[in-house]
Short mmCIF file of all heavy atoms in Angstrom, two decimals:
data_model
loop_
_atom_site.label_atom_id
_atom_site.label_comp_id
_atom_site.label_asym_id
_atom_site.label_seq_id
_atom_site.Cartn_x
_atom_site.Cartn_y
_atom_site.Cartn_z
N SER A 47 102.81 120.68 72.59
CA SER A 47 103.96 121.56 72.82
C SER A 47 104.17 122.41 71.60
O SER A 47 103.67 122.10 70.52
CB SER A 47 105.28 120.78 73.13
OG SER A 47 105.58 119.96 72.09
N GLY A 48 104.90 123.56 71.75
CA GLY A 48 105.13 124.45 70.67
C GLY A 48 104.48 125.84 70.92
O GLY A 48 104.20 126.10 72.12
N SER A 49 104.32 126.51 69.90
CA SER A 49 103.87 127.88 69.99
C SER A 49 102.23 127.88 70.00
O SER A 49 101.62 128.05 69.04
CB SER A 49 104.33 128.78 68.79
OG SER A 49 105.74 128.80 68.78
N ILE A 50 101.76 127.68 71.22
CA ILE A 50 100.33 127.53 71.40
C ILE A 50 99.79 128.70 72.25
O ILE A 50 100.32 128.99 73.31
CB ILE A 50 100.03 126.23 72.17
CG1 ILE A 50 100.52 125.04 71.31
CG2 ILE A 50 98.53 126.12 72.40
CD1 ILE A 50 100.49 123.72 72.06
N TYR A 51 98.76 129.35 71.67
CA TYR A 51 98.12 130.37 72.39
C TYR A 51 97.06 129.82 73.34
O TYR A 51 97.00 130.17 74.46
CB TYR A 51 97.50 131.39 71.46
CG TYR A 51 96.65 132.43 72.12
CD1 TYR A 51 97.33 133.49 72.83
CD2 TYR A 51 95.31 132.50 72.09
CE1 TYR A 51 96.58 134.47 73.46
CE2 TYR A 51 94.64 133.48 72.78
CZ TYR A 51 95.24 134.43 73.49
OH TYR A 51 94.52 135.45 74.05
N SER A 52 96.22 128.95 72.80
CA SER A 52 95.21 128.32 73.63
C SER A 52 94.77 127.06 72.93
O SER A 52 94.75 126.88 71.74
CB SER A 52 93.98 129.22 73.79
OG SER A 52 93.33 129.49 72.58
N ILE A 53 94.36 126.14 73.82
CA ILE A 53 93.77 124.88 73.36
C ILE A 53 92.30 124.83 73.57
O ILE A 53 91.84 125.04 74.70
CB ILE A 53 94.40 123.70 74.05
CG1 ILE A 53 95.93 123.63 73.71
CG2 ILE A 53 93.76 122.34 73.63
CD1 ILE A 53 96.65 122.53 74.37
N ILE A 54 91.49 124.65 72.51
CA ILE A 54 90.08 124.69 72.61
C ILE A 54 89.53 123.33 73.23
O ILE A 54 88.74 123.36 74.11
CB ILE A 54 89.44 124.92 71.27
CG1 ILE A 54 90.02 126.18 70.58
CG2 ILE A 54 87.91 124.98 71.32
CD1 ILE A 54 89.83 127.40 71.34
N ASP A 55 90.02 122.22 72.63
CA ASP A 55 89.69 121.01 73.19
C ASP A 55 90.82 119.99 72.89
O ASP A 55 91.61 120.19 71.99
CB ASP A 55 88.36 120.52 72.77
CG ASP A 55 88.25 120.43 71.23
OD1 ASP A 55 89.02 119.73 70.60
OD2 ASP A 55 87.26 121.02 70.69
N MET A 56 90.81 118.92 73.67
CA MET A 56 91.77 117.75 73.32
C MET A 56 90.97 116.54 73.56
O MET A 56 90.08 116.45 74.33
CB MET A 56 92.98 117.82 74.29
CG MET A 56 93.87 119.05 74.13
SD MET A 56 95.32 118.93 75.21
CE MET A 56 96.33 117.71 74.32
N GLY A 57 91.28 115.51 72.73
CA GLY A 57 90.60 114.31 72.87
C GLY A 57 91.38 113.12 72.32
O GLY A 57 92.48 113.25 71.87
N TRP A 58 90.84 111.95 72.47
CA TRP A 58 91.31 110.74 72.03
C TRP A 58 90.45 110.06 71.02
O TRP A 58 89.24 109.99 71.19
CB TRP A 58 91.55 109.71 73.25
CG TRP A 58 92.64 110.18 74.11
CD1 TRP A 58 92.57 110.94 75.22
CD2 TRP A 58 94.00 109.83 73.95
NE1 TRP A 58 93.79 111.14 75.82
CE2 TRP A 58 94.70 110.49 75.05
CE3 TRP A 58 94.74 109.14 72.96
CZ2 TRP A 58 96.13 110.39 75.20
CZ3 TRP A 58 96.17 109.07 73.12
CH2 TRP A 58 96.71 109.68 74.25
N TYR A 59 91.05 109.60 69.98
CA TYR A 59 90.44 108.80 68.90
C TYR A 59 91.10 107.49 68.79
O TYR A 59 92.31 107.27 69.28
CB TYR A 59 90.49 109.54 67.60
CG TYR A 59 89.67 110.89 67.55
CD1 TYR A 59 90.08 111.98 68.23
CD2 TYR A 59 88.50 110.95 66.73
CE1 TYR A 59 89.34 113.11 68.23
CE2 TYR A 59 87.71 112.11 66.76
CZ TYR A 59 88.14 113.20 67.40
OH TYR A 59 87.38 114.34 67.38
N ARG A 60 90.47 106.54 68.16
CA ARG A 60 91.13 105.25 67.98
C ARG A 60 90.77 104.66 66.64
O ARG A 60 89.72 105.00 66.08
CB ARG A 60 90.78 104.24 69.08
CG ARG A 60 89.31 103.84 69.06
CD ARG A 60 89.02 102.97 70.32
NE ARG A 60 87.69 102.50 70.36
CZ ARG A 60 87.09 101.83 71.39
NH1 ARG A 60 87.81 101.58 72.44
NH2 ARG A 60 85.83 101.43 71.28
N GLN A 61 91.62 103.88 66.06
CA GLN A 61 91.35 103.25 64.80
C GLN A 61 91.86 101.82 64.88
O GLN A 61 93.04 101.55 65.10
CB GLN A 61 92.08 104.00 63.68
CG GLN A 61 91.73 103.55 62.29
CD GLN A 61 92.18 104.51 61.20
OE1 GLN A 61 93.06 105.35 61.37
NE2 GLN A 61 91.49 104.45 60.06
N ALA A 62 90.99 100.93 64.64
CA ALA A 62 91.27 99.50 64.56
C ALA A 62 91.42 99.17 63.07
O ALA A 62 90.92 99.84 62.20
CB ALA A 62 90.18 98.65 65.14
N PRO A 63 92.20 98.11 62.74
CA PRO A 63 92.38 97.68 61.37
C PRO A 63 91.14 97.52 60.66
O PRO A 63 90.14 96.90 61.12
CB PRO A 63 93.10 96.33 61.54
CG PRO A 63 93.88 96.47 62.75
CD PRO A 63 92.92 97.24 63.73
N GLY A 64 91.00 98.08 59.50
CA GLY A 64 89.76 97.95 58.66
C GLY A 64 88.58 98.85 59.07
O GLY A 64 87.53 98.67 58.52
N LYS A 65 88.77 99.64 60.12
CA LYS A 65 87.67 100.41 60.63
C LYS A 65 88.08 101.94 60.48
O LYS A 65 89.20 102.33 60.37
CB LYS A 65 87.38 100.07 62.09
CG LYS A 65 86.92 98.70 62.29
CD LYS A 65 86.50 98.47 63.77
CE LYS A 65 85.29 99.30 64.15
NZ LYS A 65 84.88 99.01 65.61
N GLN A 66 87.04 102.76 60.53
CA GLN A 66 87.21 104.17 60.53
C GLN A 66 87.71 104.66 61.90
O GLN A 66 87.44 104.13 62.92
CB GLN A 66 85.91 104.88 60.22
CG GLN A 66 85.40 104.57 58.76
CD GLN A 66 86.19 105.34 57.82
OE1 GLN A 66 87.05 104.76 57.06
NE2 GLN A 66 85.98 106.63 57.62
N ARG A 67 88.45 105.74 61.86
CA ARG A 67 88.89 106.35 63.10
C ARG A 67 87.67 106.94 63.85
O ARG A 67 86.81 107.57 63.20
CB ARG A 67 89.89 107.50 62.87
CG ARG A 67 90.56 107.99 64.08
CD ARG A 67 91.69 108.93 63.72
NE ARG A 67 92.78 108.24 63.04
CZ ARG A 67 93.91 108.89 62.65
NH1 ARG A 67 94.13 110.08 62.99
NH2 ARG A 67 94.82 108.11 61.92
N GLU A 68 87.55 106.75 65.13
CA GLU A 68 86.37 107.10 65.84
C GLU A 68 86.77 107.87 67.13
O GLU A 68 87.85 107.63 67.68
CB GLU A 68 85.49 105.92 66.25
CG GLU A 68 86.18 104.92 67.14
CD GLU A 68 85.29 103.80 67.64
OE1 GLU A 68 84.05 103.93 67.45
OE2 GLU A 68 85.79 102.82 68.20
N LEU A 69 85.87 108.77 67.51
CA LEU A 69 86.07 109.53 68.82
C LEU A 69 85.91 108.55 69.94
O LEU A 69 84.90 107.79 69.99
CB LEU A 69 85.12 110.63 68.84
CG LEU A 69 85.06 111.40 70.16
CD1 LEU A 69 86.37 112.17 70.33
CD2 LEU A 69 83.86 112.33 70.24
N VAL A 70 86.82 108.57 70.88
CA VAL A 70 86.73 107.87 72.14
C VAL A 70 86.25 108.77 73.27
O VAL A 70 85.33 108.46 73.95
CB VAL A 70 88.08 107.21 72.46
CG1 VAL A 70 87.98 106.47 73.85
CG2 VAL A 70 88.52 106.31 71.38
N ALA A 71 86.97 109.88 73.42
CA ALA A 71 86.62 110.81 74.45
C ALA A 71 87.19 112.24 74.15
O ALA A 71 88.23 112.31 73.47
CB ALA A 71 87.17 110.33 75.85
N LEU A 72 86.51 113.22 74.58
CA LEU A 72 86.89 114.55 74.31
C LEU A 72 86.71 115.44 75.55
O LEU A 72 85.75 115.24 76.29
CB LEU A 72 86.06 115.10 73.11
CG LEU A 72 86.27 116.54 72.67
CD1 LEU A 72 87.56 116.66 71.93
CD2 LEU A 72 85.11 116.97 71.77
N THR A 73 87.54 116.34 75.75
CA THR A 73 87.40 117.31 76.84
C THR A 73 87.76 118.74 76.44
O THR A 73 88.69 118.90 75.64
CB THR A 73 88.23 116.88 78.08
OG1 THR A 73 87.91 117.79 79.13
CG2 THR A 73 89.71 116.91 77.79
N THR A 74 87.02 119.70 76.89
CA THR A 74 87.35 121.08 76.69
C THR A 74 88.07 121.72 77.78
O THR A 74 88.20 121.11 78.85
CB THR A 74 86.04 121.88 76.41
OG1 THR A 74 85.33 121.94 77.59
CG2 THR A 74 85.15 121.19 75.38
N SER A 75 88.54 122.92 77.56
CA SER A 75 89.27 123.61 78.64
C SER A 75 88.40 123.81 79.85
O SER A 75 88.84 123.88 81.00
CB SER A 75 89.82 124.91 78.06
OG SER A 75 90.76 124.78 77.14
N GLY A 76 87.09 123.96 79.67
CA GLY A 76 86.16 124.17 80.70
C GLY A 76 85.70 122.96 81.40
O GLY A 76 84.91 123.00 82.37
N GLY A 77 86.19 121.82 81.01
CA GLY A 77 85.96 120.58 81.64
C GLY A 77 84.76 119.75 81.12
O GLY A 77 84.42 118.74 81.70
#
Side-chain angles (χ1 to χ4, degrees):
S47 63
S49 300
I50 301 169
Y51 176 75
S52 66
I53 297 178
I54 307 303
D55 56 58
M56 297 183 73
W58 288 94
Y59 293 71
R60 66 186 181 188
Q61 187 167 24
K65 297 183 65 177
Q66 295 287 104
R67 189 172 299 184
E68 64 175 346
L69 173 68
V70 178
L72 179 71
T73 185
T74 70
S75 296

